[in-house]
Amino acid sequence: MFFRVIVLSLLCTATSLGYASESECSKLASRVDNAEENYRPPLEAKVIGNSRLYFHNAPSSKCQVKGVFVIKGDSLTVYKSYDGWVNVMFIGKDGEDFIGWVQESKIKVIGQYGRNP
């Protein structure tokens, strides 16, 4: 669990091939950060698949946040989608919350919060 807990405010700082610069991730995150486009009410989803689902600072595989991930069965709150990615929040067992982008194909939407089943 310790490895899953890391501050999401860290921006992409990886400089190896395959990662975007901090500036590129920040620009993309700013471009898609429009609260008017959020789902109202937000959606509830579960992580599917057997591998770790890493959080990203922006909807791009090049903006991965190292060490922050969820696993199969974890519950997520989904705020919006963009080009195959979803902006989500995960609340850990310790109550700490993490917000970021994950691949939409790796989650299963259950429904909207506040709706009767």
Side-chain angles (χ1 to χ4, degrees):
M1 179 67 178
F2 175 75
F3 293 106
R4 291 172 63 183
V5 179
I6 191 169
V7 179
L8 274 180
S9 61
L10 297 174
L11 295 174
C12 297
T13 56
T15 57
S16 63
L17 186 62
Y19 288 91
S21 72
E22 180 179 335
S23 175
E24 291 172 292
C25 292
S26 294
K27 286 178 185 176
L28 178 56
S30 293
R31 192 167 61 239
V32 298
D33 186 27
N34 181 354
E36 295 302 316
E37 297 172 355
N38 287 3
Y39 297 122
R40 288 195 175 86
L43 306 177
E44 179 181 7
K46 293 275 188 189
V47 177
I48 58 175
N50 293 321
S51 60
R52 295 174 175 178
L53 178 58
Y54 283 90
F55 275 65
H56 297 72
N57 289 321
S60 168
S61 59
K62 295 180 178 184
C63 298
Q64 181 177 314
V65 179
K66 291 188 176 193
V68 181
F69 60 89
V70 288
I71 59 174
K72 183 178 182 177
D74 282 344
S75 295
L76 301 171
T77 300
V78 180
Y79 295 111
K80 73 172 77 179
S81 60
Y82 176 84
D83 198 25
W85 293 81
V86 287
N87 185 235
V88 301
M89 178 176 60
F90 171 72
I91 300 176
K93 291 180 183 177
D94 61 359
E96 190 166 357
D97 61 272
F98 304 92
I99 297 176
W101 292 87
V102 298
Q103 294 173 318
E104 191 168 17
S105 63
K106 307 289 184 173
I107 67 165
K108 179 180 180 183
V109 173
I110 297 169
Q112 287 184 305
Y113 284 107
R115 298 262 177 152
N116 292 328

